[in-house]
Amino acid sequence: MTVPTSRATAVGTAAPHEWLAARLSLYLRRTPESIDPTVPLAEYGMDSVAALSLCGDLEEEFALEVEPTLLWDHPTVEALVRHLEQVLPAAAPAGTGTDDALADALAPARDPR
């Protein structure tokens, strides 16, 4: 599998939530809006190679130490966002708006009820 790349997601050019939404979109070959945050990413075709690549991308982009089991431990966008909201505010520069913006950008299908 070839690792997808995009100029829009180059290091330092996008906010964390935009970067993750774009990265998942590339790996899953879907628009961010078409990804239901409650459906396991494996059901969209996220395989082990793509999952490990995403872990590496997260480490490289945000200087995080990511376990290779990240997407198995947090298999949905919703679960992944909750986890990243816990680790990114400490690692992300101030003013990036990581908390709410990350959840909003990655969960367009979330039911407001």
Side-chain angles (χ1 to χ4, degrees), residues 5 12 19 21 27 29 42 47-49 74 84 88 94 96-97 109 113:
T5 59
W19 180 90
Y27 279 113
R29 294 186 174 109
D47 61 13
S48 59
V49 173
H74 309 284
L84 292 175
L88 279 179
T96 58
R113 288 182 263 160

Side-chain angles (χ1 to χ4, degrees), residues 27-85:
Y27 279 113
L28 299 175
R29 294 186 174 109
R30 298 175 166 271
T31 62
E33 302 82 33
S34 71
I35 301 169
D36 183 331
T38 63
V39 173
L41 293 170
E43 288 188 26
Y44 289 114
M46 179 68 83
D47 61 13
S48 59
V49 173
L52 288 173
S53 295
L54 180 63
C55 289
D57 293 346
L58 284 164
E59 287 183 335
E60 191 174 300
E61 183 73 11
F62 301 106
L64 296 173
E65 187 172 322
V66 177
E67 292 295 322
T69 58
L70 178 69
L71 273 89
W72 282 267
D73 296 337
H74 309 284
T76 65
V77 171
E78 196 171 69
L80 183 58
V81 167
R82 276 195 307 269
H83 173 71
L84 292 175
E85 284 174 341

